[in-house]
Amino acid sequence: MKRYEIRESMSKEAREKLKEYSDLVAELLYHRDIDTPEKAKDFFEFSYEKLHNPNLLKDIDKASDRIKKALDNNEKICVFADYDADGIPGAVIMSDFLTKVGCENFEIYIPHRNNEGFGLNKKAVEKIKESGARLIITVDCGIADVEEIDLINELGMDVIITDHHEPNGKDPKAYAIVNPKQDDCKYPDKNLCGSGVAFKLVQGYLSKYGNDIPDGWEKNLLDMVGIATLSDMVPLQGENRILAKYGLTILQMTPRRGLLKLYKLYRVNQRNITEDDVGFTITPRINAASRMDEPKLAFDLLSSKEEVESEILAKKLDKMNDERKGHVAAIIKEIKKDLGDQEMNVVVAGSPKWKPSLMGLVANSLVESYNAPAFIWGRGEGEGLKGSCRTNGLSLLDIMNKVDPKVIESYGGHEGAGGFVVKADSVDFLKDELSKAVEELSKEKKENLFFIDKQLELKDVDERLYKEIEALGPFGVGNHKPFFLFESVTPEEIKVFGKQKNHTSIVFKENRNVKTIAFFKTPEDFSIKIEEGKPINLVGQIEKSYFMNRPELRIKVEDLY
Ligand SMILES: [Mn+2]
């Protein structure tokens, strides 16, 4: 079971500084390190003008000049974009931009997730050369691809890298590198996602060469920047907070046919689209395309200008997403059958028959089921067995760092989500190695605490309270949706619902107006037995659903204990 702790309340002095806000808002701000009236004012002010000048980015001028030259000489341009829900919207941004500035001679290249993998690769570079391109513009990748970039130069092409990944000491010989994370880049905000950087290049280009383009035209692209910013897990602070907010605003009025089809298919309420609609509905569908071996499909859908075509593409993507779910569910079932319900400190499973692109989703689910880090591998093209890992406590990088490099050949990622490559002849040692590493680290590690933002009374949950909370959004990484504790509340009615009877709804005696919902959980899935009439503690988030056009205030359960 998790251990919960309520964040300490504010001192009198701290409260005094934020006196123009309610107790709740002041406390939520304070725990986000927003502790002065100036910072609070800044936090609540969303103005497009607050975005930094794109010309502060290193090489932006050089990049713009090179694009201009390509347009003037009618050189073919290839946009090479990553296949995920950051790269794909970025490709749409570049495609819209090039079209707008009158370029017809360009192509979009999105690599195959399983066969080509992340970033540039030499075969792709050769193909791009054969297609007649003279200039390559990367989106959301490229900063680490030193050898591929040498090849691009050898083949007589130029490359502009736009990326937001850590440069990790390598120094690719690109024509221009636009990446705020470069040491010598003075750009004040280092946290943009890949699409954010691509958008900045567009802004920079238009500020120099965009005289014929209507002022502010680029704001139309913010729906794509918004999706990418919310999908790519970049902190929603500073510029990203504004981009996410404007992104949602543009998503509310986007004319993109592909998006409208997705909204319709999944009953997303366009006028009230939220960050959760993006995260739970749009992002997984964009990712489904590459996971199921058709990365271009998501790009085609988002950039489609045709009514009939977009309808067909949306249905295809929907089918593909269902297939993806089916594959993932089958793999999870297979693993669970194999492992049974024994206790284990790490879940390890794999098969050369599984697509590496699905392993992250499988690992996610197994972390939940076994309450332990999960390492799941499959095989793509080539020799290596590629896997994904997820965790709920220990840092994955710490774990993999302890494993013999003869077993885990290479790895990358963050504390909570990563990827790794295993040598086929040492895969039998993987489980023991990981288990040993986890055991050692668990000894060193202190207990994992889960912080609750504030304790509330159920009777206080109403529209007014929701409005206060909502004003702090958009929520996501770096600005989480607040968790509240409702202590000793009494279930009056417990129901399971949904086609597969796998969700639970509870009405509590203390506030019958607000429904409490636990998705993908039945009453048996909680660590305690829940019964009508027996008081329990509820940890949850207050939100509003617009499903089927029926606004409904509700509490989403995080845990019952
Ligand atoms: Mn990215």
Side-chain angles (χ1 to χ4, degrees):
M1 207 193 96
K2 279 182 198 148
R3 270 237 309 151
Y4 292 101
E5 194 161 298
I6 301 172
R7 291 193 188 277
E8 60 178 286
S9 48
M10 299 169 78
S11 67
K12 252 199 184 143
E13 298 80 67
R15 181 67 186 93
E16 178 60 25
K17 282 193 202 156
L18 297 174
K19 63 179 176 220
E20 59 178 289
Y21 303 97
S22 71
D23 282 344
L24 173 66
V25 172
E27 213 161 312
L28 293 174
L29 287 173
Y30 178 74
H31 290 308
R32 283 162 172 70
D33 292 326
I34 299 160
D35 51 8
T36 65
E38 295 76 33
K39 281 195 211 168
K41 191 171 165 273
D42 181 56
F43 183 79
F44 287 116
E45 187 189 75
F46 293 97
S47 99
Y48 189 74
E49 283 62 45
K50 271 169 76 181
L51 294 180
H52 303 296
N53 181 349
N55 297 312
L56 294 171
L57 278 157
K58 180 175 171 264
D59 278 4
I60 192 110
D61 226 22
K62 235 172 135 188
S64 298
D65 293 348
R66 184 64 188 86
I67 294 171
K68 176 76 169 109
K69 188 178 142 207
L71 299 183
D72 289 346
N73 299 337
N74 195 27
E75 292 174 280
K76 182 166 181 184
I77 299 174
C78 173
V79 175
F80 187 102
D82 184 37
Y83 43 64
D84 73 357
D86 184 11
I88 302 256
V92 177
I93 289 170
M94 291 311 296
S95 164
D96 280 8
F97 158 67
L98 289 171
T99 306
K100 189 71 187 174
V101 293
C103 175
E104 280 163 8
N105 195 10
F106 74 92
E107 65 166 1
I108 304 290
Y109 189 107
I110 296 167
H112 194 286
R113 192 168 192 144
N114 285 309
N115 298 343
E116 297 180 71
F118 177 71
L120 291 162
N121 67 83
K122 288 184 182 166
K123 261 194 209 154
V125 169
E126 274 154 11
K127 249 192 267 171
I128 291 166
K129 169 73 189 173
E130 272 161 40
S131 79
R134 299 285 310 279
L135 173 64
I136 299 176
I137 305 172
T138 71
V139 175
D140 192 27
C141 62
I143 192 70
D145 301 328
V146 177
E147 286 177 27
E148 287 79 5
I149 287 165
D150 284 344
L151 178 63
I152 292 173
N153 293 330
E154 269 165 45
L155 294 176
M157 298 182 283
D158 285 332
V159 56
I160 297 168
I161 298 176
T162 78
D163 200 348
H164 72 124
H165 291 93
E166 216 46 77
N168 69 15
K170 293 176 180 170
D171 182 23
K173 300 279 175 285
Y175 187 88
I177 304 178
V178 184
N179 181 347
K181 291 212 180 84
Q182 293 175 93
D183 282 341
D184 48 354
C185 180
K186 301 275 182 304
Y187 196 74
D189 199 321
K190 303 284 176 190
N191 290 327
L192 289 171
C193 66
S195 276
V197 177
F199 178 72
K200 287 282 154 186
L201 175 56
V202 172
Q203 273 190 319
Y205 180 94
L206 293 177
S207 73
K208 190 164 185 182
Y209 296 113
N211 290 335
D212 328 338
I213 311 292
D215 248 4
W217 168 82
E218 72 277 8
K219 289 182 189 171
N220 294 305
L221 305 172
L222 287 170
D223 53 353
M224 292 295 113
V225 183
I227 289 178
T229 302
L230 291 165
S231 303
D232 215 49
M233 305 291 187
V234 287
L236 298 183
Q237 294 155 353
E239 210 164 24
N240 284 338
R241 181 170 157 80
I242 298 173
L243 291 170
K245 178 82 169 184
Y246 271 93
L248 287 169
T249 307
I250 304 296
L251 282 166
Q252 285 167 6
M253 50 194 182
T254 185
R256 286 185 207 280
R257 290 176 192 279
L259 278 177
L260 297 179
K261 297 292 174 199
L262 289 182
Y263 293 166
K264 203 172 136 209
L265 210 50
Y266 303 113
R267 298 176 184 168
V268 169
N269 185 313
Q270 180 170 14
R271 268 205 320 187
N272 295 296
I273 188 165
T274 64
E275 54 270 46
D276 285 346
D277 291 320
V278 175
F280 296 127
T281 306
I282 298 176
T283 309
R285 266 80 192 191
I286 295 177
N287 279 321
S290 63
R291 291 188 203 281
M292 297 301 287
D293 301 327
E294 284 206 52
K296 197 73 188 298
L297 181 65
F299 170 83
D300 290 342
L301 175 66
L302 292 178
S303 58
S304 174
K305 305 265 184 289
E306 305 284 329
E307 182 66 20
V308 178
E309 181 198 53
S310 59
E311 177 93 31
I312 295 169
L313 290 171
K315 289 206 167 125
K316 209 170 152 194
L317 189 62
D318 182 46
K319 208 175 132 220
M320 197 171 279
N321 189 53
D322 283 345
E323 272 171 36
R324 190 268 303 163
K325 278 193 210 161
H327 282 292
V328 169
I331 294 171
I332 292 170
K333 205 171 151 194
E334 197 179 329
I335 295 174
K336 282 188 172 170
K337 201 177 140 207
D338 207 41
L339 296 177
D341 43 13
Q342 50 182 315
E343 285 260 324
M344 56 192 93
N345 67 355
V346 57
V347 181
V348 181
S351 161
K353 282 186 258 155
W354 299 340
K355 285 182 203 294
S357 55
L358 300 178
M359 300 298 98
L361 302 168
V362 173
N364 256 337
S365 157
L366 293 169
V367 167
E368 281 268 315
S369 312
Y370 288 89
N371 195 20
F375 290 73
I376 315 294
W377 55 266
R379 182 158 71 187
E381 203 120 288
E383 292 300 288
L385 304 177
K386 274 205 274 186
S388 292
C389 43
R390 298 289 185 270
T391 183
N392 55 354
L394 295 175
S395 153
L396 294 166
L397 299 178
D398 288 350
I399 298 174
M400 291 191 280
N401 195 18
K402 277 192 182 285
V403 170
D404 188 340
K406 275 185 235 127
V407 178
I408 289 187
E409 224 183 299
S410 61
Y411 64 87
H414 321 279
E415 300 223 319
F420 60 94
V421 176
V422 202
K423 278 209 184 108
D425 54 10
S426 54
V427 70
D428 292 341
F429 305 106
L430 185 63
K431 173 141 198 178
D432 282 349
E433 281 282 324
L434 285 168
S435 182
K436 234 175 30 199
V438 168
E439 199 186 309
E440 279 172 37
L441 286 165
S442 311
K443 274 187 218 146
E444 296 162 18
K445 200 179 169 322
K446 288 173 271 130
E447 196 173 18
N448 205 19
L449 278 183
F450 186 99
F451 282 101
I452 290 168
D453 291 271
K454 198 172 168 52
Q455 184 169 344
L456 290 178
E457 299 289 329
L458 260 188
K459 64 172 170 46
D460 295 335
V461 178
D462 58 11
E463 287 289 337
R464 187 196 51 81
L465 187 86
Y466 171 72
K467 283 241 150 57
E468 288 195 350
I469 298 167
E470 192 198 19
L472 278 90
F475 297 114
V477 175
N479 183 32
H480 70 273
K481 193 183 282 184
F483 289 99
F484 298 106
L485 169 67
F486 303 94
E487 211 169 40
S488 190
V489 286
T490 317
E492 198 167 65
E493 192 184 286
I494 304 169
K495 272 199 290 203
V496 289
F497 70 100
K499 250 189 247 158
Q500 295 161 27
K501 298 268 170 247
N502 55 348
H503 312 303
T504 304
S505 98
I506 308 172
V507 175
F508 285 95
K509 199 182 84 189
E510 288 79 2
N511 186 346
R512 297 185 178 95
N513 298 323
V514 179
K515 223 191 247 168
T516 298
I517 310 270
F519 289 108
F520 301 103
K521 279 196 167 155
T522 61
E524 289 73 43
D525 291 333
F526 294 99
S527 56
I528 50 152
K529 197 162 178 300
I530 51 172
E531 286 171 76
E532 287 162 9
K534 194 181 131 199
I536 49 175
N537 297 323
L538 157 67
V539 178
Q541 297 171 309
I542 299 168
E543 50 183 48
K544 201 162 183 177
S545 155
Y546 292 92
F547 191 62
M548 306 279 280
N549 262 323
R550 280 193 294 261
E552 185 184 54
L553 192 65
R554 68 185 184 195
I555 297 173
K556 194 169 87 185
V557 174
E558 169 67 19
D559 198 7
L560 300 170
Y561 69 97

